Amino acid sequence: MNEQGALWTVDQVLALAPDDASRRAGSKLGSAGPWSGAGSAGGAVWGLCKGSGRTPYRTVVDTTGPAYRCSCPSRKFPCKHALGLLLLWAGGGAPAAGVPDWAEEWLAARRERTPAAGAAAEAGPADPEAARRRAERRAARVTAGARELEQRLADLLRGGLAAAEQSGYGLWEETAARMVDAQAPGLAGRVRELGAIPGSGPGWPVRLLEECALTHLLDRAWLSADRLPAPLAATVRTRVGLTAPPEGPVLRDRWLVLAQYDSADGKLTTRRIWLHGESGGRTALLLSFGAGGRAPQHAFPVGAVLDAALRPYEGGGGLRAELVEQFGVAAPAGAPPAGGTVGAALTAYGRALRDDPWLDAWPVTLTEVAPARAEYGWQLADAGGAGGDEREAVPLTRAAQARPGLWRLVALSGGGPLTVFGECGHQGFTPLAAWSPEAPGETVPLV
């Protein structure tokens, strides 16, 4: 992690959250409202957070570890108060100040137990051996959680899927909470998705069986991770919920901003930015988070070209990357990436599934396609076929058909062919940007 002299980004703080619920709860505490006496100095951040009782919670974070201390009863580390305090600090809300006695007492005791921690703010990164031991302890907890989940799935199949509708959501939520305790937020998220399937409409037993199979596959992959190829093992760690800093080679290119859209979860806003490298032909995803009512850190105009260096993360097909440095200002426009047919896009998604079986969608660019109405709704069909039966088509997702961007796409096409960028997955295609033949350098956002 960074030294005290450099504020952490919101992304760095949220990466510490043990699960999505903590991330959301911490985001609500990332503003100055609930805090008093907040300050920072010498590798530490502290503050008093107003809770439901008369006495505020005392929260202190040693940023050189990091390590956390809070007087709240939560069993999660870091708790929501520690996350909120770090978000407040990241936003400049914890100014330099003298350390209060209650915070200094814990910090001094920590330095006595681990002398290296007392000098870490000046000496540099935390002890790698200590980090390795922490990683091993967390891996052991995740393994215990995966085995428990395997037993839960076995019990479900032994009793029959019909029983899942009768037992209600409470048992699933209890299992998800156990996965959170095991520090496996990825498994917890999948369990909650399983709990929402029973009784969700016609064919729900088939969908439940499919998702149980994928969850079982993830469990077995984690328990056998030491025998997997390195790229797949990295993907499994990511899917389980273990975060790791980007460690790939730095890639400098001229990156076309293909799409940018936000999704909100409580007071946490997640921004997804799709980029395409002109020289390397690589597609990259930047994730940026905004908490406590603040906008996400990164924002780029769709269609602009950035001269920038990115560093990719492991796993997930190598799509996600971190922005290392941007050189100069963004150029106003760029041509769309080279694309292909609908069949080529489906093949690309299939190949990506080979490396990541839990992948919901894959970024693709379709050329010479047109929106068309079908019995089940809207689709994108190849425009170059000799007849309607010979053309391949991909349906638009339900979410895409409910957005105003669909009518923007139809109007831009006017019945003619377009180039369209979007996410292709098992639920269909979500168009995110389009280009008409008349203006190939003008990117039209669809979200």
Side-chain angles (χ1 to χ4, degrees):
M1 304 300 290
N2 295 337
E3 296 181 7
Q4 171 72 12
L7 295 179
W8 295 354
T9 65
V10 171
D11 295 33
Q12 289 173 312
V13 174
L14 294 177
L16 298 172
D19 52 64
D20 289 338
S22 297
R23 194 175 290 115
R24 292 192 297 269
S27 299
K28 296 178 182 179
L29 300 176
S31 58
W35 293 95
S36 62
S40 60
V45 187
W46 60 86
L48 302 174
C49 187
K50 183 180 179 181
S52 57
R54 297 174 57 186
T55 304
Y57 296 122
R58 293 179 170 182
T59 309
V60 57
V61 179
D62 182 349
T63 62
T64 62
Y68 320 93
R69 176 71 174 89
C70 185
S71 59
C72 76
S74 175
R75 294 182 297 166
K76 299 180 181 180
F77 293 95
C79 66
K80 64 181 182 180
H81 305 102
L83 290 170
L85 177 61
L86 286 172
L87 289 170
L88 179 72
W89 173 60
V99 185
D101 292 342
W102 60 267
E104 178 59 32
E105 181 179 352
W106 176 78
L107 291 168
R110 173 171 163 75
R111 293 180 187 121
E112 290 177 1
R113 291 192 303 269
T114 55
E122 299 178 0
D127 181 6
E129 178 62 23
R132 183 189 64 79
R133 291 194 297 269
R134 287 195 299 270
E136 288 180 349
R137 289 194 294 270
R138 182 175 183 185
R141 288 191 289 269
V142 173
T143 297
R147 288 174 175 158
E148 181 178 340
L149 182 54
E150 280 292 279
Q151 185 61 51
R152 172 75 176 92
L153 294 175
D155 292 344
L156 172 66
L157 296 178
R158 189 180 299 111
L161 295 181
E165 188 174 18
Q166 302 171 358
S167 60
Y169 188 76
L171 187 58
W172 293 104
E173 182 58 36
E174 179 183 344
T175 304
R178 299 281 291 176
M179 297 304 103
V180 170
D181 290 341
Q183 292 189 289
L187 292 179
R190 298 198 71 88
V191 169
R192 291 191 174 99
E193 291 176 3
L194 289 174
I197 295 176
S200 60
W204 70 260
V206 175
R207 295 194 298 275
L208 179 59
L209 184 60
E210 291 173 347
E211 292 302 320
C212 283
L214 285 172
T215 303
H216 168 71
L217 181 64
L218 182 57
D219 273 342
R220 300 310 306 174
W222 170 262
L223 296 174
S224 306
D226 57 338
R227 299 194 296 272
L228 298 178
L232 181 56
T235 296
V236 170
R237 288 193 295 269
T238 300
R239 291 297 180 183
V240 166
L242 301 184
T243 58
E247 296 180 348
V250 174
L251 306 172
R252 181 172 179 179
D253 206 335
R254 286 172 50 82
W255 300 91
L256 171 65
V257 182
L258 297 170
Q260 174 177 288
Y261 63 96
D262 295 349
S263 57
D265 187 358
K267 291 189 177 181
L268 176 66
T269 301
T270 302
R271 177 166 294 164
R272 299 168 66 89
I273 304 173
W274 285 109
L275 305 174
H276 181 78
E278 289 184 354
S279 301
R282 181 169 184 149
T283 301
L285 173 65
L286 298 183
L287 290 182
S288 186
F289 303 96
R294 294 189 295 271
Q297 178 182 7
H298 300 307
F300 304 110
V302 173
V305 177
L306 311 175
D307 181 3
L310 307 182
R311 188 189 303 275
Y313 287 80
E314 284 188 316
L319 289 176
R320 188 184 174 190
E322 176 189 62
L323 178 63
V324 177
E325 185 175 358
Q326 180 180 343
F327 306 93
V329 297
T341 63
V342 169
L346 296 175
T347 299
Y349 175 54
R351 289 174 178 168
L353 282 175
R354 178 186 58 193
D355 299 325
D356 184 356
W358 309 276
L359 188 67
D360 291 328
W362 186 255
V364 295
T365 301
L366 304 176
T367 56
E368 295 289 314
V369 294
R373 187 78 175 174
E375 294 181 6
Y376 47 78
W378 286 90
Q379 63 182 8
L380 282 176
D382 290 328
D389 294 336
E390 299 178 14
R391 297 187 300 171
E392 291 185 287
V394 59
L396 300 188
T397 61
R398 291 183 179 180
Q401 296 192 48
R403 293 172 181 165
L406 169 62
W407 305 112
R408 198 176 308 139
L409 177 66
V410 172
L412 183 65
S413 168
L418 297 169
T419 297
V420 183
F421 168 78
E423 299 170 353
C424 182
H426 64 280
Q427 294 183 352
F429 185 86
T430 301
L432 301 177
W435 300 261
S436 69
E438 290 76 17
E442 181 180 349
T443 305
V444 178
L446 302 177
V447 290

